Every structure is written in structure tokens, then in C-alpha cells.
Amino acid sequence: MARGKAPALPTREQILDFIRQSPTPVGKREIARAFHLKGADKIPLKALLKELAESDEVDRGRKRRMAPPGSLPEVAVLVIDGPDADGDLLARPVSWASDDAPPRIEVAPERRGASAMAAGDRILARLSRTGADSYSARIIRQLVGQPSRIIGIFEKHPEGGGQLRPTDRRVKAEYRIMPPHTNGAEPGELVALEVLNTHRAGRLQGRVAERLGRFGEPKTISLIAIAEQEIPTRFTEEALTEARNAGPVTLGTRTDLRDMPLVTIDGEDARDFDDAVWATADDDPKNPGGWQVVVAIADVAHYVRPGSALDRAARDRGNSVYFPDRVVPMLPEELSNGWCSLKPNEDRGCLAVRMVFNLQGEKLSHRFYRGLMRSAARLTYNRMQAAIDGRPDELTAPLLEPVIKPLYGAFQALLAERERRGTLELDIPERRVVLDEQGQILKIAPRERLDSHKLIEEFMIAANVAAAETLELKHQPVMYRVHDQPDAAKVDALRESLKGLGLTLAKGQVLRPKMFTELLVKVRGTTYAAMIHDLVLRTQAQANYSPHNLGHFGLALSRYAHFTSPIRRYSDLLVHRALIDAHHFGDDGLPKDAEANFESLGQHISSTERRAAAAERDAMDRYAAAFLANREGQVFKGRINGVTRFGLFVTLEDTGASGLVPMGSLPDDWYDHDERAHALIGRRWGREYRLGEPVHLRLMQADAATGGLLLHIIEGEDAAAEPAPPRRADGGPGGRSDGRKPGGFAPPPRKPGGPKHKGPPRGAGKGPRKKSGKGPKRGKKKR
């Protein structure tokens, strides 16, 4: 018989395609097997693989196994980030040197329940690539390691000493505090615990490092968030001395803006005033209907010099952090509420930009000044809006014609330009906690969104764009505020969800923010509008700071930087210093080596921003739980904002508080998690709980220490009239007399073609178990 023809050596591109498509790194043996190469045919293959590795077209790891450039190793140490909105447990590499965001790593569910992992835990895992920038991780083992500091409530221990009740819901471990380590703490005190070694009984030990106050006192709610996020609260004596020695700015070579009636416009409870505005009709006959706008910002760079103690403190903090009862400022009060606050009728140094717009709101020109200004008035959003609506008061009446009306005229032009540009318009309600003089909670109410708020927002955006344009033109380093395009995989997932509703999102076109806005307008008023809004929000990338310009997708801007809040954001201080250098305004600009440090500095201030946001969010959760603590058993209206394998996350309508509806509390049925539909679907009776769906809920438990709410869904039109369930002797919510929960997670086997079943994390809801007892009553409607 004639021998068959030997297979041809694969091309360079064929090998690269095979390596890219493999979920794990591959070696010469796998490549040879895939292309049916044997014996002497492997010799040229070896040479070709060596050439690929030397040209950096592939990464060559342990045992000479190859993967696409930038790939993670086959086995890696990961740190747990926690579950996402769909309940998938996410992780990231423990060390990540790239400037780009790490890839998405989803931890496979097989052993989630056994390990009860919390954010910060470390695991050794085997990785498989599931997409261009995503991986699946199978846990090999959980690595030993505990946080060094934990916040909690000190409680007495029956054997002496104490124990800690952590305020972080993710901390599951129990900590024993031996008598010598209590530091005099009393039961009910909020403490910071330094974690020590494990004692012979196997439980963790700790030492009370700091006593923060008695839990239940108004001040402790914010203190928990501050301590857990390790936000710096004390300035060094050197920094305080520099702040105390600060004094007024003199005119010198500055532009005198004191005759310009600049006004500050802030909230009723604002504590610092770092921006002022003025507008007038442009008198240039070549610009009919046009406007001149001036935005003046406190000259923080004059007081905070590079390398000073104040500069080190501001850089370390990155930004101010705002709580209902206090501010943790980036700068000492002598500056933030003193020399850098644009108080009425007091001379203040400023950096200002004069911008000229045409009738359509397009910017024709701009110019920066280092000036001396004097605020004409301290206005609030409410007083400003009342004045333009025909209800001026003694302060705003004299300002209505010369100041307020021109501001609104310029705003209308800028608003028209925003609409033409096509920005992403998401409706994200904000709420505020109203406290009395003793710090007790009076109410939690939505923040109003007035045209006066939008006016200031548009003026600030315009000034920020002007700063970025100037620094690029002058070849200065720029700390951009970047908001990248949405991840393609997330957009595809959104398209799949829309398809089931008969909606489409154009494919193959350049993705633009107005496409999302048009979709939201289209579904407005429909039963699924809230769900689509949440899905669009989750599709968006997270904004951050970087010296590399990616544009700002949400604002539909090709370049953007933060210039308008140097009192409370270090990024803005960097932009001010760069502008000072660009215009030769003084010797207090950027240090010579600044640009070399911008990469790491952008990462740092992005992380401090996320830290501040987490602290503010955690504090709001605890304030809401404290406000609702005496309303357990009552029924509330809410909306499902998250669907997971272990239950539902729901936002209450009145307060904006969020809580968990455990899987085990859902009405009688077994429920499958349909990830694409963002729904839990009853297997037997067809009940559905979908993202964005309105529901009635009974509050079963509100824990002010952790900020957690436990909720149960109430069915039926008369849900609000149902009596509260009996409480158990231990204070927990009532249940069935036989101790069984009425609902549960559907056990395998699943229906052919049905959604994949995955068990919930331990502690989040009830795991799979055999269903017993009677099913739902006859006559209940399927939904």
C-alpha cells in the first residue's frame, strides 16, 4: 500500500490561533497532536515555537507551555473580591503589574459553600481562559491568612475576657479576646481588633487596639466605615502647622477679578465652597446670541506646595470623604473651610477660566487666569431655583437680573450642546440622611435634582474640558478622568437580554452613549424599564484617573480632566499645578519628576476614590438599618435590584435601603437561576422573580452594626394588611412550626435544556436539600 501524504507543517498564524483558542497554556506535545505531526515533523515545529516565543507573540511559562501575551499562569494565587450582582464569586490576581484592569476571574461554584469565603481571602486556583479577557478558576485550596485589623462590637465571653462581633458582614470567623488583651473595653463598645495568633482551641485571638466609642451612639455609624476602610483622620503636626501659618493672597501679578459678581452655588449643608461662576451675554457682534462664562476655582496650589507636609497628607488621602454627620477632609480645616473656601465678600486667590460659547453652546475659545476674586454671594441650589421660578428672596432679588438670569441663559445653550453631543443619561437617585442636633436620624429622603444642580454641572464640565484641552496644547502632563467604553462581552450579554423583550441594540456600529440613552427613552413607562436601566448601568465601565487618554464615554467627550474641586480631590490639584506651569503663573507648579510618577499616582487616587465611595455607601447602609431597626415586621414596597443563586437583593422604595431576600424564604417551589433573564423561576409552579420587578416585602431584621437587612417577599394584593409574624424566643423572625423553610434551591437533576444549577455561597441562603411537605395551595396563579 502506498503511504499517506505527511501532514503539512501548520503556518505561524494557525499555531497562534490554536494557542489563543486553548483555555489553558499548551506545550509542543499538544500542538503536534492537534496538527497530526509525528517524528521528524516535530523538529521544524520546535524551531517555529522558539521563534514565536522570542518575538513575544506568545508568553512562555513553566514547562515551556505557551499562552497569548499577557495571559495568567495555569495555576495562580488569587484574592477574593466578593460576589457580583448576579452572585458569581469574583477574584483577581494577588499581584498584577499591568496598567490595565485585571481580567474577570469567576470562581467555579463546586466548593464555594465549603469555604464560605469573604472578600480579601486568598486561594490557590487552576485557571482556564473563557474569553479574551476572562477566566474560570477552580479552587485547589484556600490559603491561610487573616486580616490584620477588624472592626466590631466587644462582647463578654463566658470564660472571661471577650469576643468580637464583626461589623463586616463578610467576616465569618470568631475572634476570642483574652483578659490581658481587652484594653479595658466594655460590652457594647465599638473596637478595632488587632488579630493575633490562634490559641489551642483553634479559634482566632485578637487584641483591642483602639476603643472607638459605644455602639449605638450617633457618631459610631460613620466611625465604623472610617475604621473599616482605614481612612486617615489625623493630620501630622507638621501639616497642621503649615495650615495654621497660611495667610491671605495678595494681588501681585494676579488678574483682579474682584469687580466681577462671581457667586458660589452649593447645597444647604455644604461645608466648603471651592467654585464660583458668572455669565453674561457676549457683546461680540460676530457671536450673536452667544455667552461668556467664567468659572473660578480656589487656588489650593498656592497653599499646598509639592513635597510639603500638606501635600503628603493630601496625596495620602486622595480625596475628602463625606458622611451624613461629618467630613473627613483632604486638607485641614484652616484651608478647606478657611483660606481655600470662597466666602462672600472676602478676597480669595483663584484659578479661573473665561469661556466663550455660541448660541448653540459650542465653545469658541477659552483662557485661563490666576486671579484674585471676591464672591458676591453664597447661594444655594434651592434659593437659586426659587429665584428663577419667580420666588426671589431678599438675597436673590437684587441678583436676579444681573447675575441669575444670565447664568440660566448660558446654561440653556450648554444644555442644548449636551443633547446634541448625545450623553449617557442614567437616572440614579441619591438619598440624604437628615439628622437632628444630637445626631439622631430624623428621616431618609431623596435628594432633589433641580435645574440649578444641572447648571453648575454643565459649567464644571465645560471648565474641565477646557483644562484638558489647554494642557494637551501646552504639552503638559495630564491626569485625565477617563471612562472607557463598555466591555464588549457585557454589551453582548445586554443584547441577549433585550432580545427576549423584542428589543435591539445596534451591532456592528461604533458604540455611542446616546444609543443607551435612546434605549432607555424607548422603554420608559414599560414594566421592564427599571430592569433595562439596571442592565445598562451594569454594562458601563468604571471611571478612573490615568495619564493615558481614553476619553469619557458617558459624557461623550474625547478628553476630560478634573479641575474644579482641588479642596477635595488630589487629581484636581495636579491639574492646577500643570496649568500653573503651562501659563508660567508661578513656581508652585508640578515638580520636575511629576510625569514619571503619574502612572502610579493615577492608580493611587483611583483606589482612594473607590475607598471613599465604599465608606460612604457602607455608612448609608448602616444609617438606613438603624432608621428601620424599630420597624421590623412592617411591610414595604421595593424593587428587585439583584438576582443571585442564593436569593434576591431588593431596594426599598421609601429609604433606598437594600437588603437580602434569602432563597429559602421564597414562596413554595424550587427555583432555578436564569442568568440571561436575570430571574429566579419556580420549577413547579412557574413563579418568576425578575430584575427590576416591584415587590412587597416584610422587614424581618435590620442590623445597624453591619447595615444588613433581612427581608421576606409578601404575596397578594393585601400584602400591606398582613400581620407581622411571631418572633422566636431568641429574637429571630418567626417561621413554620416544623422548622422548615417554605422555599428552597432546586436540587439536581435539572430539566433538559433548563438553566444551569449552581448552589449558593454558604451563609447567603439555604443550599440544596430534599423538598418535603405539601406544595403550594391549589388555585395560586402562575406568573
Side-chain angles (χ1 to χ4, degrees), residues 211-476:
R211 298 166 62 184
L212 302 173
R214 188 157 194 82
F215 181 72
E217 294 176 356
K219 66 174 184 176
T220 56
I221 292 181
S222 296
L223 282 177
I224 294 173
I226 291 167
E228 283 188 345
Q229 296 295 334
E230 298 185 9
I231 293 171
T233 56
R234 295 187 179 93
F235 291 99
T236 64
E237 191 55 41
E238 187 181 1
L240 291 172
T241 299
E242 289 179 2
R244 292 186 197 110
N245 291 339
V249 169
T250 55
L251 182 61
T253 58
R254 293 173 180 266
T255 302
D256 195 342
L257 302 174
R258 287 175 290 184
D259 290 336
M260 182 179 289
L262 289 152
V263 294
T264 63
I265 307 170
D266 296 277
E268 305 283 348
D269 55 353
R271 300 172 176 102
D272 47 50
F273 317 114
D274 56 357
D275 57 81
V277 293
W278 172 80
T280 189
D282 190 11
D283 56 5
D284 186 345
K286 296 180 181 178
N287 186 27
W291 297 92
Q292 290 188 38
V293 173
V294 172
V295 174
I297 308 298
D299 190 356
V300 177
H302 173 79
Y303 296 100
V304 184
R305 304 295 178 107
S308 66
L310 279 171
D311 182 49
R312 291 193 297 273
R315 184 175 63 243
D316 183 34
R317 291 164 184 240
N319 42 258
S320 299
V321 191
Y322 294 84
F323 300 102
D325 64 334
R326 75 189 71 201
V327 175
V328 181
M330 188 180 80
L331 297 171
E333 199 168 312
E334 289 83 355
L335 294 181
S336 60
N337 290 345
W339 296 115
C340 294
S341 188
L342 306 179
K343 297 179 179 180
N345 303 313
E346 295 186 19
D347 288 0
R348 290 290 186 267
C350 66
L351 251 63
V353 57
R354 182 191 293 265
M355 299 169 285
V356 179
F357 299 93
N358 65 16
L359 178 62
Q360 291 75 37
E362 299 169 322
K363 182 160 64 65
L364 304 180
S365 64
H366 70 264
R367 182 180 177 185
F368 281 89
Y369 304 87
R370 200 171 198 180
L372 187 68
M373 62 159 286
R374 184 181 295 153
S375 170
R378 184 275 207 248
L379 302 182
T380 66
Y381 294 117
N382 290 335
R383 296 177 85 168
M384 176 94 164
Q385 191 65 47
I388 201 68
D389 289 344
R391 302 187 310 277
D393 57 24
E394 68 281 358
L395 176 64
T396 57
L399 299 172
L400 185 58
E401 293 297 330
V403 175
I404 295 176
K405 285 188 176 180
L407 286 172
Y408 274 90
F411 162 60
Q412 292 301 326
L414 292 179
L415 193 61
E417 163 58 19
R418 180 188 181 105
E419 291 171 357
R420 275 191 297 274
R421 203 166 69 235
T423 58
L424 176 62
E425 301 295 338
L426 291 170
D427 181 20
I428 305 174
E430 290 186 42
R431 283 175 169 77
R432 62 191 181 97
V433 176
V434 181
L435 305 174
D436 64 17
E437 293 181 359
Q438 287 73 44
Q440 300 295 334
I441 308 167
L442 292 176
K443 63 179 179 178
I444 298 177
R447 286 190 183 275
E448 283 188 288
R449 178 79 169 152
L450 305 171
D451 277 353
S452 51
H453 291 93
K454 298 175 185 177
L455 181 155
I456 289 298
E457 181 180 311
E458 290 306 312
F459 281 24
M460 298 303 115
I461 289 172
N464 288 336
V465 171
E469 290 175 347
T470 294
L471 294 180
E472 282 188 0
L473 186 67
K474 300 281 188 177
H475 305 292
Q476 291 292 322

Side-chain angles (χ1 to χ4, degrees), residues 23-80:
T24 57
V26 295
K28 185 180 73 174
R29 179 180 299 176
E30 289 98 323
I31 297 172
R33 187 183 300 123
F35 292 99
H36 310 291
L37 302 178
K38 298 179 180 178
D41 295 331
K42 295 181 182 179
I43 297 174
L45 174 64
K46 182 178 180 180
L48 182 54
L49 294 178
K50 183 179 179 182
E51 187 180 324
L52 288 174
E54 290 175 349
S55 65
D56 292 331
E57 290 179 84
V58 295
D59 282 350
R60 201 167 191 171
R62 58 192 292 269
K63 297 184 180 180
R64 298 176 179 269
R65 298 173 71 78
M66 297 185 176
S71 296
L72 296 177
E74 197 169 356
V75 175
V77 176
L78 309 177
V79 60
I80 299 296

